[in-house]
Amino acid sequence: MLDLANLGYVGMCLSAFLAATILPFSSEIVLVTLLSTGANEAYLLVAASVGNVLGALVNYVLGWRYGETFVLSWLGIKARTFLRAQQMFKQWGKWSLLLCWVPIIGDPLTLMGGVLRTQFWFFLSVVACTKTLRYGVIVYYFY
């Protein structure tokens, strides 16, 4: 496996990107590792935020373009689980995207944002703000 921390800021961006997609991945370890080596906090924050937002945009586009077919066929999610997620997203509306930074539920929320055709600029604004804030808290805490 490629050691992303050895790639510096590019590795940070790549790990954050992978962590934001449906793939099971964690970018926090890379972030903390790079912080402990003395890497610039501001550059790490930018790299992590950009990568994570781009990963969320991949989820959004996949959801928008392929919708239910992608979720059920390609990801193998059960129809009942998909319906429940759809109902929850509709119940809370686009504001549920405020939780897109939360591990485990955040990635499906960004996918559902695309499936249910959340307005792009709203999606991008909320996702960028919440994900940057999350990484900012981690940087602040470990600095």
Side-chain angles (χ1 to χ4, degrees):
M1 182 176 153
L2 181 62
D3 185 8
L4 294 172
N6 286 334
L7 296 176
Y9 302 113
V10 172
M12 181 69 258
C13 188
L14 183 57
S15 71
F17 175 84
L18 293 172
T21 63
I22 298 297
L23 300 172
F25 200 84
S26 174
S27 60
E28 291 82 2
I29 294 169
V30 175
L31 178 60
V32 171
T33 299
L34 288 169
L35 284 169
S36 70
T37 65
N40 182 288
E41 299 85 16
Y43 292 161
L44 283 175
L45 179 61
V46 169
S49 299
V50 166
N52 213 244
V53 171
L54 288 174
L57 284 172
V58 167
N59 292 344
Y60 177 84
V61 169
L62 287 172
W64 185 285
R65 174 70 174 98
Y66 300 107
E68 190 172 343
T69 301
F70 176 74
V71 174
L72 299 178
S73 299
W74 296 2
L75 295 180
I77 305 294
K78 294 178 182 164
R80 194 174 89 202
T81 303
F82 176 73
L83 270 173
R84 199 169 58 232
Q86 220 175 10
Q87 290 168 345
M88 286 177 63
F89 193 93
K90 286 179 180 177
Q91 177 184 357
W92 295 100
K94 62 186 181 182
W95 295 105
S96 62
L97 287 168
L98 289 169
L99 297 175
C100 71
W101 62 272
V102 177
I104 299 172
I105 67 166
D107 301 340
L109 281 173
T110 59
L111 180 66
M112 198 56 69
V115 170
L116 296 177
R117 306 283 201 251
T118 302
Q119 181 187 24
F120 176 76
W121 292 111
F122 178 85
F123 176 89
L124 184 60
S125 300
V126 170
V127 168
C129 288
T130 57
K131 288 181 176 281
T132 300
L133 182 61
R134 172 178 163 249
Y135 282 115
V137 168
I138 295 170
V139 167
Y140 178 78
Y141 180 75
F142 284 98
Y143 175 62

